[in-house]
Amino acid sequence: MSALIPGLVSITFRTESPRRIIEACRSSGLIAIEWGGDVHVPPGDLETARTVGAATRDAGLRVTAYGSYYRFEDVMGTRPDHEPATVLDTAEALGAKVVRVWAGRRGSAETPPEARVAIVAAARALGERAAARGLVIALEYHRNTLTDTAASARTLLDEIAHPAVRSLWQPPVGWSTDATESSLRSILPYLSHIHCFTWGPGGSADRRPLAEGTDAWLRYLRTAVAPGPSGRRELPVLLEFVPGDDLSVLRREAQTLRRWQAEVEAEPC
Protein backbone atom coordinates (compact mmCIF):
# COMPACT_ATOMS: atom_id res chain seq x y z
CA MET A 1 0.00 0.00 0.00
CA SER A 2 1.25 3.49 -0.84
CA ALA A 3 2.06 5.45 2.30
CA LEU A 4 1.48 8.86 0.70
CA ILE A 5 -1.54 9.80 -1.39
CA PRO A 6 -0.59 12.80 -3.59
CA GLY A 7 -3.40 15.20 -4.36
CA LEU A 8 -4.69 18.75 -4.51
CA VAL A 9 -6.73 21.19 -2.45
CA SER A 10 -9.21 22.54 -5.02
CA ILE A 11 -9.23 26.08 -3.61
CA THR A 12 -5.68 26.38 -4.97
CA PHE A 13 -7.47 27.17 -8.24
CA ARG A 14 -10.64 28.97 -7.19
CA THR A 15 -11.20 30.46 -10.64
CA GLU A 16 -11.05 27.09 -12.41
CA SER A 17 -14.01 24.77 -12.95
CA PRO A 18 -14.16 21.35 -11.28
CA ARG A 19 -13.84 19.76 -14.72
CA ARG A 20 -10.57 21.57 -15.44
CA ILE A 21 -9.22 20.74 -12.00
CA ILE A 22 -10.06 17.06 -12.39
CA GLU A 23 -8.40 16.94 -15.81
CA ALA A 24 -5.29 18.71 -14.51
CA CYS A 25 -4.98 16.39 -11.51
CA ARG A 26 -5.31 13.28 -13.62
CA SER A 27 -2.80 14.44 -16.24
CA SER A 28 -0.34 15.44 -13.49
CA GLY A 29 -0.40 12.05 -11.78
CA LEU A 30 -2.28 13.19 -8.69
CA ILE A 31 -4.90 10.86 -7.28
CA ALA A 32 -6.91 12.78 -4.67
CA ILE A 33 -8.79 16.07 -4.30
CA GLU A 34 -10.08 17.98 -1.29
CA TRP A 35 -13.00 19.96 -2.71
CA GLY A 36 -13.51 23.42 -1.24
CA GLY A 37 -16.86 24.62 0.04
CA ASP A 38 -16.44 28.29 -0.81
CA VAL A 39 -16.54 28.00 -4.62
CA HIS A 40 -16.51 24.50 -6.09
CA VAL A 41 -18.97 22.66 -3.81
CA PRO A 42 -21.06 25.20 -1.85
CA PRO A 43 -22.70 23.88 1.33
CA GLY A 44 -26.27 22.83 0.71
CA ASP A 45 -25.87 22.48 -3.06
CA LEU A 46 -26.29 18.72 -3.04
CA GLU A 47 -26.72 18.41 -6.79
CA THR A 48 -23.35 20.03 -7.42
CA ALA A 49 -21.78 17.90 -4.70
CA ARG A 50 -23.06 14.69 -6.29
CA THR A 51 -21.98 15.80 -9.76
CA VAL A 52 -18.46 16.82 -8.69
CA GLY A 53 -18.01 13.70 -6.58
CA ALA A 54 -19.10 11.41 -9.40
CA ALA A 55 -16.87 13.20 -11.93
CA THR A 56 -13.90 12.86 -9.60
CA ARG A 57 -14.39 9.14 -9.17
CA ASP A 58 -15.14 8.59 -12.86
CA ALA A 59 -11.70 10.07 -13.58
CA GLY A 60 -10.11 7.49 -11.28
CA LEU A 61 -9.45 10.03 -8.50
CA ARG A 62 -10.37 10.02 -4.82
CA VAL A 63 -12.49 12.59 -3.02
CA THR A 64 -10.26 12.78 0.02
CA ALA A 65 -12.07 15.53 1.95
CA TYR A 66 -14.66 18.30 1.92
CA GLY A 67 -13.00 21.61 2.78
CA SER A 68 -15.80 23.41 4.58
CA TYR A 69 -15.61 26.84 6.17
CA TYR A 70 -17.72 25.86 9.16
CA ARG A 71 -16.40 27.54 12.30
CA PHE A 72 -17.44 26.48 15.79
CA GLU A 73 -17.53 30.03 17.12
CA ASP A 74 -20.04 31.30 14.55
CA VAL A 75 -23.67 31.85 15.47
CA MET A 76 -25.60 28.81 14.34
CA GLY A 77 -28.72 28.96 12.23
CA THR A 78 -28.07 32.28 10.50
CA ARG A 79 -26.49 30.93 7.31
CA PRO A 80 -26.76 27.53 5.63
CA ASP A 81 -23.00 26.94 5.83
CA HIS A 82 -23.21 27.42 9.58
CA GLU A 83 -25.68 24.58 9.99
CA PRO A 84 -23.90 21.33 10.93
CA ALA A 85 -26.45 19.19 9.11
CA THR A 86 -25.94 21.16 5.88
CA VAL A 87 -22.19 20.67 5.96
CA LEU A 88 -22.49 16.96 6.71
CA ASP A 89 -25.18 16.48 4.05
CA THR A 90 -22.92 18.11 1.46
CA ALA A 91 -19.92 15.98 2.43
CA GLU A 92 -22.05 12.85 2.11
CA ALA A 93 -23.39 13.89 -1.31
CA LEU A 94 -19.82 14.59 -2.46
CA GLY A 95 -18.62 11.22 -1.22
CA ALA A 96 -16.03 12.67 1.15
CA LYS A 97 -15.21 10.85 4.37
CA VAL A 98 -13.37 13.76 5.99
CA VAL A 99 -14.85 17.23 6.62
CA ARG A 100 -12.48 20.13 7.30
CA VAL A 101 -13.76 22.62 9.91
CA TRP A 102 -12.29 25.56 11.83
CA ALA A 103 -11.70 25.86 15.58
CA GLY A 104 -13.12 29.34 16.07
CA ARG A 105 -12.12 32.78 14.81
CA ARG A 106 -9.58 33.81 17.45
CA GLY A 107 -6.14 32.59 18.42
CA SER A 108 -5.61 30.56 21.55
CA ALA A 109 -4.26 33.55 23.50
CA GLU A 110 -7.29 35.69 22.59
CA THR A 111 -9.98 33.07 23.22
CA PRO A 112 -11.62 33.33 26.66
CA PRO A 113 -11.73 30.10 28.67
CA GLU A 114 -15.51 29.87 28.41
CA ALA A 115 -15.34 30.18 24.61
CA ARG A 116 -12.74 27.42 24.45
CA VAL A 117 -14.96 25.17 26.55
CA ALA A 118 -17.86 25.89 24.20
CA ILE A 119 -15.76 25.06 21.12
CA VAL A 120 -14.61 21.80 22.68
CA ALA A 121 -18.23 20.84 23.38
CA ALA A 122 -19.34 21.86 19.87
CA ALA A 123 -16.52 19.90 18.25
CA ARG A 124 -17.30 16.81 20.27
CA ALA A 125 -21.00 17.10 19.37
CA LEU A 126 -20.20 17.53 15.68
CA GLY A 127 -17.85 14.55 15.87
CA GLU A 128 -20.70 12.47 17.25
CA ARG A 129 -23.01 13.53 14.43
CA ALA A 130 -20.30 12.88 11.86
CA ALA A 131 -19.52 9.45 13.25
CA ALA A 132 -23.19 8.45 12.92
CA ARG A 133 -22.80 9.04 9.17
CA GLY A 134 -19.43 7.34 8.88
CA LEU A 135 -17.61 10.68 8.56
CA VAL A 136 -14.60 12.21 10.30
CA ILE A 137 -14.11 15.86 11.27
CA ALA A 138 -10.65 17.39 10.73
CA LEU A 139 -9.68 20.67 12.36
CA GLU A 140 -7.94 23.23 10.16
CA TYR A 141 -4.39 23.77 11.49
CA HIS A 142 -4.29 27.54 11.25
CA ARG A 143 -3.49 30.83 12.93
CA ASN A 144 -6.38 32.84 14.41
CA THR A 145 -7.97 29.62 15.64
CA LEU A 146 -7.37 27.33 18.61
CA THR A 147 -4.86 25.34 16.54
CA ASP A 148 -2.46 28.28 16.23
CA THR A 149 0.23 26.74 18.44
CA ALA A 150 1.43 23.17 18.78
CA ALA A 151 0.50 23.09 22.46
CA SER A 152 -2.98 24.52 21.97
CA ALA A 153 -3.74 22.23 19.03
CA ARG A 154 -2.73 19.08 20.88
CA THR A 155 -4.49 20.14 24.07
CA LEU A 156 -7.65 20.94 22.11
CA LEU A 157 -7.70 17.53 20.44
CA ASP A 158 -7.06 15.82 23.78
CA GLU A 159 -9.91 17.82 25.34
CA ILE A 160 -12.33 16.96 22.55
CA ALA A 161 -11.33 13.31 22.89
CA HIS A 162 -13.62 11.96 20.19
CA PRO A 163 -12.43 9.33 17.69
CA ALA A 164 -14.19 11.12 14.82
CA VAL A 165 -12.41 14.43 15.47
CA ARG A 166 -8.96 14.65 13.98
CA SER A 167 -6.72 17.36 12.50
CA LEU A 168 -5.10 18.22 9.21
CA TRP A 169 -1.65 19.83 9.30
CA GLN A 170 0.20 22.44 7.30
CA PRO A 171 3.42 24.34 8.04
CA PRO A 172 2.71 27.28 10.39
CA VAL A 173 3.74 30.67 9.04
CA GLY A 174 7.22 31.87 9.99
CA TRP A 175 8.28 28.92 12.12
CA SER A 176 11.69 27.25 11.97
CA THR A 177 11.95 23.81 10.42
CA ASP A 178 12.58 22.26 13.84
CA ALA A 179 9.54 23.95 15.40
CA THR A 180 7.41 23.07 12.40
CA GLU A 181 8.38 19.41 12.54
CA SER A 182 7.70 19.40 16.28
CA SER A 183 4.21 20.78 15.68
CA LEU A 184 3.51 17.93 13.27
CA ARG A 185 4.90 15.33 15.62
CA SER A 186 2.68 16.57 18.45
CA ILE A 187 -0.57 15.83 16.58
CA LEU A 188 0.46 12.61 14.83
CA PRO A 189 -2.09 10.51 16.73
CA TYR A 190 -4.85 12.73 15.29
CA LEU A 191 -3.44 13.43 11.82
CA SER A 192 -5.93 13.11 8.95
CA HIS A 193 -4.10 14.71 6.00
CA ILE A 194 -1.54 17.36 5.06
CA HIS A 195 -1.70 20.56 3.00
CA CYS A 196 1.61 20.95 1.18
CA PHE A 197 3.22 24.16 -0.10
CA THR A 198 6.44 26.17 0.01
CA TRP A 199 6.38 29.82 1.01
CA GLY A 200 9.22 32.32 1.16
CA PRO A 201 9.80 34.96 3.87
CA GLY A 202 6.81 36.95 2.59
CA GLY A 203 4.34 34.26 3.67
CA SER A 204 1.23 33.52 1.62
CA ALA A 205 2.04 36.29 -0.85
CA ASP A 206 5.45 34.71 -1.49
CA ARG A 207 4.52 31.39 -3.07
CA ARG A 208 7.57 29.48 -4.23
CA PRO A 209 8.07 26.37 -6.38
CA LEU A 210 7.52 23.38 -4.14
CA ALA A 211 11.05 22.08 -4.80
CA GLU A 212 12.55 25.00 -2.87
CA GLY A 213 11.25 23.36 0.29
CA THR A 214 12.65 19.89 -0.43
CA ASP A 215 14.91 19.51 2.62
CA ALA A 216 12.22 20.60 5.07
CA TRP A 217 9.42 18.67 3.42
CA LEU A 218 11.34 15.40 3.33
CA ARG A 219 11.76 15.75 7.09
CA TYR A 220 8.04 16.41 7.56
CA LEU A 221 6.93 13.54 5.34
CA ARG A 222 9.28 11.06 7.01
CA THR A 223 7.88 12.12 10.36
CA ALA A 224 4.29 11.87 9.13
CA VAL A 225 4.57 8.32 7.76
CA ALA A 226 6.92 6.88 10.36
CA PRO A 227 5.72 3.35 11.12
CA GLY A 228 3.42 2.92 14.11
CA PRO A 229 2.17 -0.25 15.80
CA SER A 230 0.24 -1.23 12.65
CA GLY A 231 2.88 -0.13 10.13
CA ARG A 232 2.92 2.94 7.92
CA ARG A 233 -0.20 5.03 7.69
CA GLU A 234 -1.89 5.91 4.40
CA LEU A 235 -1.75 9.69 4.34
CA PRO A 236 -3.12 12.18 1.78
CA VAL A 237 -0.64 14.98 1.04
CA LEU A 238 -2.40 17.70 -0.93
CA LEU A 239 -0.83 20.53 -2.92
CA GLU A 240 -1.99 24.07 -2.11
CA PHE A 241 -0.88 27.67 -2.85
CA VAL A 242 1.12 27.16 -6.05
CA PRO A 243 3.05 30.12 -7.51
CA GLY A 244 0.74 32.59 -9.20
CA ASP A 245 -2.29 30.35 -8.57
CA ASP A 246 -1.37 29.12 -12.05
CA LEU A 247 -2.87 25.83 -13.23
CA SER A 248 -0.06 25.43 -15.76
CA VAL A 249 2.51 24.85 -12.98
CA LEU A 250 0.55 22.00 -11.41
CA ARG A 251 2.35 19.32 -13.42
CA ARG A 252 5.74 20.58 -12.21
CA GLU A 253 4.57 20.81 -8.59
CA ALA A 254 3.00 17.35 -8.78
CA GLN A 255 6.26 15.92 -10.13
CA THR A 256 8.07 17.32 -7.10
CA LEU A 257 5.55 15.85 -4.70
CA ARG A 258 5.65 12.46 -6.42
CA ARG A 259 9.45 12.51 -6.34
CA TRP A 260 9.31 13.08 -2.58
CA GLN A 261 6.75 10.29 -2.29
CA ALA A 262 9.04 7.87 -4.11
CA GLU A 263 12.02 8.81 -1.96
CA VAL A 264 10.14 8.49 1.33
CA GLU A 265 8.44 5.23 0.39
CA ALA A 266 11.72 3.69 -0.82
CA GLU A 267 13.19 4.00 2.66
CA PRO A 268 12.92 0.92 4.90
CA CYS A 269 10.12 0.93 7.44
Coordinates of all heavy atoms in Angstrom, one line a residue, residues 119-172:
I119 N -16.3 25.6 22.4 CA -15.8 25.1 21.1 C -15.4 23.6 21.3 O -15.8 22.8 20.4 CB -14.5 25.9 20.6 CG1 -15.0 27.2 20.2 CG2 -13.8 25.1 19.5 CD1 -13.8 28.2 19.8
V120 N -14.9 23.2 22.4 CA -14.6 21.8 22.7 C -15.9 21.0 22.7 O -16.0 19.9 22.0 CB -13.9 21.6 24.0 CG1 -13.9 20.2 24.5 CG2 -12.5 22.2 23.9
A121 N -16.9 21.5 23.3 CA -18.2 20.8 23.4 C -18.9 20.8 22.0 O -19.4 19.7 21.6 CB -19.2 21.5 24.3
A122 N -18.8 21.8 21.2 CA -19.3 21.9 19.9 C -18.6 20.9 18.9 O -19.2 20.2 18.1 CB -19.3 23.3 19.3
A123 N -17.3 20.8 19.1 CA -16.5 19.9 18.2 C -16.8 18.5 18.6 O -17.0 17.6 17.7 CB -15.0 20.2 18.4
R124 N -17.0 18.2 19.9 CA -17.3 16.8 20.3 C -18.7 16.4 19.8 O -18.9 15.3 19.3 CB -17.2 16.7 21.8 CG -17.3 15.2 22.3 CD -17.3 15.2 23.8 NE -16.0 15.7 24.3 CZ -15.9 16.6 25.2 NH1 -17.0 17.2 25.7 NH2 -14.7 17.0 25.6
A125 N -19.6 17.4 19.9 CA -21.0 17.1 19.4 C -21.0 16.9 17.9 O -21.7 16.0 17.4 CB -21.9 18.2 19.8
L126 N -20.3 17.7 17.1 CA -20.2 17.5 15.7 C -19.5 16.2 15.3 O -19.9 15.5 14.4 CB -19.5 18.7 15.0 CG -19.5 18.7 13.5 CD1 -20.9 18.7 12.9 CD2 -18.7 19.9 13.0
G127 N -18.5 15.8 16.1 CA -17.9 14.6 15.9 C -18.8 13.4 16.0 O -18.8 12.4 15.3
E128 N -19.7 13.5 17.0 CA -20.7 12.5 17.3 C -21.7 12.4 16.1 O -22.0 11.3 15.6 CB -21.5 12.8 18.5 CG -22.3 11.6 19.1 CD -21.5 10.4 19.5 OE1 -20.3 10.6 19.8 OE2 -22.1 9.3 19.6
R129 N -22.1 13.5 15.6 CA -23.0 13.5 14.4 C -22.3 13.0 13.2 O -22.9 12.3 12.4 CB -23.6 14.9 14.2 CG -24.4 15.5 15.3 CD -24.8 16.9 15.1 NE -25.8 17.0 14.1 CZ -26.5 18.2 13.9 NH1 -26.3 19.2 14.7 NH2 -27.4 18.2 12.9
A130 N -21.1 13.4 13.0 CA -20.3 12.9 11.9 C -20.1 11.4 11.9 O -20.3 10.7 10.9 CB -18.9 13.6 11.8
A131 N -19.8 10.9 13.1 CA -19.5 9.4 13.3 C -20.8 8.6 12.9 O -20.7 7.5 12.4 CB -19.1 9.1 14.7
A132 N -21.9 9.2 13.2 CA -23.2 8.5 12.9 C -23.4 8.3 11.4 O -24.1 7.4 11.0 CB -24.4 9.2 13.5
R133 N -22.7 9.1 10.6 CA -22.8 9.0 9.2 C -21.6 8.4 8.5 O -21.4 8.3 7.3 CB -22.9 10.5 8.6 CG -24.2 11.2 9.0 CD -24.0 12.7 8.5 NE -25.1 13.5 8.9 CZ -25.9 14.2 8.0 NH1 -25.7 14.0 6.7 NH2 -26.8 15.0 8.4
G134 N -20.7 7.9 9.4 CA -19.4 7.3 8.9 C -18.4 8.4 8.4 O -17.5 8.1 7.6
L135 N -18.5 9.6 8.9 CA -17.6 10.7 8.6 C -16.7 11.0 9.7 O -16.9 10.6 10.9 CB -18.4 11.9 8.2 CG -19.5 11.8 7.1 CD1 -20.2 13.1 7.0 CD2 -18.8 11.4 5.8
V136 N -15.6 11.7 9.3 CA -14.6 12.2 10.3 C -14.5 13.7 10.2 O -14.5 14.2 9.0 CB -13.2 11.5 10.0 CG1 -12.1 12.2 10.9 CG2 -13.3 10.1 10.4
I137 N -14.4 14.4 11.3 CA -14.1 15.9 11.3 C -12.6 16.1 11.4 O -12.0 15.5 12.2 CB -14.8 16.5 12.5 CG1 -16.4 16.3 12.3 CG2 -14.5 18.0 12.6 CD1 -17.0 16.9 11.1
A138 N -12.1 17.0 10.6 CA -10.6 17.4 10.7 C -10.5 18.9 11.0 O -11.0 19.7 10.2 CB -9.9 17.0 9.5
L139 N -9.9 19.3 12.1 CA -9.7 20.7 12.4 C -8.6 21.3 11.4 O -7.6 20.7 11.2 CB -9.2 20.8 13.8 CG -10.1 20.3 14.9 CD1 -9.5 20.5 16.3 CD2 -11.5 20.9 14.8
E140 N -8.9 22.5 10.9 CA -7.9 23.2 10.2 C -6.8 23.6 11.1 O -7.0 24.0 12.2 CB -8.6 24.5 9.6 CG -7.6 25.5 8.9 CD -7.3 25.0 7.5 OE1 -8.0 24.2 7.0 OE2 -6.3 25.6 7.0
Y141 N -5.6 23.4 10.7 CA -4.4 23.8 11.5 C -3.9 25.2 11.1 O -3.2 25.3 10.1 CB -3.3 22.7 11.3 CG -2.3 22.7 12.4 CD1 -2.4 21.8 13.4 CD2 -1.1 23.5 12.3 CE1 -1.5 21.7 14.4 CE2 -0.2 23.4 13.3 CZ -0.4 22.5 14.4 OH 0.6 22.4 15.4
H142 N -4.4 26.2 11.8 CA -4.3 27.5 11.3 C -4.2 28.6 12.3 O -4.8 28.4 13.4 CB -5.5 27.8 10.4 CG -5.3 28.7 9.3 ND1 -5.4 30.1 9.5 CD2 -5.1 28.5 8.0 CE1 -5.2 30.7 8.3 NE2 -5.1 29.8 7.4
R143 N -3.5 29.7 12.0 CA -3.5 30.8 12.9 C -4.9 31.4 13.1 O -5.8 31.2 12.2 CB -2.5 31.9 12.4 CG -2.8 32.4 11.0 CD -1.7 33.4 10.6 NE -1.9 33.8 9.2 CZ -1.0 34.6 8.5 NH1 0.0 35.1 9.2 NH2 -1.2 34.9 7.3
N144 N -5.1 32.2 14.1 CA -6.4 32.8 14.4 C -7.5 31.8 14.7 O -8.7 32.1 14.5 CB -6.8 33.8 13.3 CG -5.8 34.9 13.1 OD1 -5.3 35.5 14.1 ND2 -5.6 35.3 11.8
T145 N -7.0 30.6 15.1 CA -8.0 29.6 15.6 C -7.3 29.0 16.9 O -6.2 29.3 17.2 CB -8.3 28.5 14.6 OG1 -7.1 27.7 14.5 CG2 -8.6 29.1 13.2
L146 N -8.0 28.0 17.4 CA -7.4 27.3 18.6 C -6.3 26.3 18.2 O -5.8 25.6 19.1 CB -8.5 26.6 19.4 CG -9.4 27.6 20.2 CD1 -10.5 26.8 21.0 CD2 -8.6 28.5 21.1
T147 N -6.0 26.2 17.0 CA -4.9 25.3 16.5 C -3.7 26.2 16.1 O -2.9 25.8 15.2 CB -5.3 24.4 15.4 OG1 -5.8 25.2 14.3 CG2 -6.4 23.5 15.9
D148 N -3.5 27.4 16.7 CA -2.5 28.3 16.2 C -1.1 28.0 16.8 O -0.1 28.5 16.4 CB -2.9 29.7 16.5 CG -3.1 30.0 18.0 OD1 -3.2 29.1 18.8 OD2 -3.1 31.2 18.4
T149 N -1.0 27.2 17.9 CA 0.2 26.7 18.4 C 0.2 25.2 18.6 O -0.9 24.6 18.7 CB 0.5 27.4 19.8 OG1 -0.4 26.8 20.8 CG2 0.3 28.9 19.8
A150 N 1.4 24.6 18.6 CA 1.4 23.2 18.8 C 0.8 22.7 20.1 O 0.0 21.7 20.1 CB 2.9 22.7 18.7
A151 N 1.1 23.5 21.2 CA 0.5 23.1 22.5 C -1.0 23.2 22.5 O -1.7 22.3 23.0 CB 1.1 23.9 23.6
S152 N -1.5 24.3 22.0 CA -3.0 24.5 22.0 C -3.7 23.5 21.1 O -4.7 23.0 21.5 CB -3.3 25.9 21.5 OG -4.7 26.1 21.5
A153 N -3.1 23.2 19.9 CA -3.7 22.2 19.0 C -3.8 20.9 19.7 O -4.9 20.2 19.7 CB -3.0 22.2 17.7
R154 N -2.7 20.4 20.3 CA -2.7 19.1 20.9 C -3.7 19.0 22.1 O -4.4 18.1 22.3 CB -1.3 18.7 21.3 CG -1.2 17.3 22.0 CD -1.8 16.2 21.2 NE -1.9 15.0 21.9 CZ -1.1 13.9 21.8 NH1 -0.1 14.0 21.0 NH2 -1.2 12.9 22.5
T155 N -3.6 20.1 22.9 CA -4.5 20.1 24.1 C -6.0 20.1 23.6 O -6.8 19.4 24.2 CB -4.2 21.4 24.9 OG1 -2.8 21.3 25.4 CG2 -5.1 21.5 26.1
L156 N -6.3 20.9 22.6 CA -7.7 20.9 22.1 C -8.1 19.6 21.7 O -9.2 19.1 22.0 CB -7.7 21.9 21.0 CG -9.1 22.1 20.3 CD1 -10.1 22.7 21.3 CD2 -9.0 22.9 19.0
L157 N -7.3 18.9 20.9 CA -7.7 17.5 20.4 C -7.8 16.6 21.6 O -8.8 15.7 21.6 CB -6.7 17.0 19.4 CG -6.7 17.8 18.1 CD1 -5.4 17.6 17.4 CD2 -7.8 17.3 17.2
D158 N -7.0 16.7 22.6 CA -7.1 15.8 23.8 C -8.3 16.1 24.6 O -9.0 15.2 25.1 CB -5.8 16.0 24.7 CG -4.6 15.4 24.1 OD1 -4.7 14.5 23.2 OD2 -3.5 15.7 24.6
E159 N -8.7 17.4 24.6 CA -9.9 17.8 25.3 C -11.2 17.3 24.6 O -12.1 16.9 25.3 CB -9.9 19.3 25.5 CG -8.9 19.9 26.5 CD -8.8 21.4 26.4 OE1 -9.3 22.0 25.4 OE2 -8.3 22.0 27.4
I160 N -11.2 17.4 23.3 CA -12.3 17.0 22.5 C -12.5 15.5 22.7 O -13.6 14.9 22.9 CB -12.2 17.3 21.1 CG1 -12.2 18.9 20.9 CG2 -13.3 16.7 20.2 CD1 -11.8 19.3 19.5
A161 N -11.4 14.7 22.6 CA -11.3 13.3 22.9 C -12.5 12.5 22.2 O -13.2 11.7 22.9 CB -11.4 13.1 24.4
H162 N -12.6 12.7 20.9 CA -13.6 12.0 20.2 C -12.9 11.3 19.0 O -12.2 12.0 18.3 CB -14.8 12.8 19.7 CG -15.9 12.1 19.2 ND1 -16.0 11.4 18.1 CD2 -17.2 11.8 19.8 CE1 -17.1 10.8 17.9 NE2 -17.9 11.0 19.0
P163 N -13.2 10.0 18.8 CA -12.4 9.3 17.7 C -12.7 9.8 16.3 O -12.0 9.6 15.4 CB -12.9 7.9 17.8 CG -14.2 7.9 18.6 CD -14.0 9.1 19.5
A164 N -13.8 10.6 16.1 CA -14.2 11.1 14.8 C -13.7 12.6 14.7 O -14.1 13.2 13.7 CB -15.7 11.0 14.6
V165 N -13.0 13.1 15.6 CA -12.4 14.4 15.5 C -10.9 14.3 15.4 O -10.2 13.9 16.3 CB -12.8 15.3 16.6 CG1 -12.2 16.7 16.5 CG2 -14.3 15.4 16.7
R166 N -10.4 14.8 14.2 CA -9.0 14.7 14.0 C -8.4 16.0 13.5 O -9.1 17.0 13.8 CB -8.7 13.6 12.9 CG -9.2 12.2 13.4 CD -9.1 11.1 12.4 NE -7.7 10.8 12.1 CZ -6.9 10.0 12.9 NH1 -7.4 9.5 14.0 NH2 -5.7 9.8 12.6
S167 N -7.3 16.1 12.9 CA -6.7 17.4 12.5 C -5.9 17.2 11.2 O -5.2 16.2 11.0 CB -5.8 17.9 13.6 OG -5.2 19.1 13.2
L168 N -6.1 18.2 10.3 CA -5.1 18.2 9.2 C -3.9 19.0 9.7 O -3.8 19.4 10.9 CB -5.7 18.9 8.0 CG -6.0 20.4 8.0 CD1 -4.8 21.2 7.7 CD2 -7.1 20.7 7.0
W169 N -2.9 19.1 8.9 CA -1.7 19.8 9.3 C -1.1 20.5 8.1 O -1.2 20.0 7.0 CB -0.6 18.9 9.9 CG 0.7 19.6 10.3 CD1 0.9 20.2 11.5 CD2 1.9 19.8 9.5 NE1 2.1 20.8 11.5 CE2 2.8 20.5 10.3 CE3 2.2 19.4 8.3 CZ2 4.0 20.8 9.9 CZ3 3.5 19.7 7.8 CH2 4.4 20.4 8.6
Q170 N -0.6 21.7 8.3 CA 0.2 22.4 7.3 C 1.3 23.2 8.0 O 1.1 23.5 9.2 CB -0.7 23.4 6.5 CG -1.4 24.4 7.3 CD -2.5 25.2 6.5 OE1 -3.0 24.6 5.5 NE2 -2.8 26.4 6.9
P171 N 2.3 23.6 7.4 CA 3.4 24.3 8.0 C 2.9 25.7 8.6 O 2.4 26.5 7.8 CB 4.5 24.5 6.9 CG 4.2 23.5 5.9 CD 2.7 23.4 5.9
P172 N 3.1 26.0 9.9 CA 2.7 27.3 10.4 C 3.6 28.4 9.8 O 4.8 28.1 9.4 CB 3.0 27.1 11.9 CG 2.9 25.7 12.2 CD 3.5 25.0 10.9

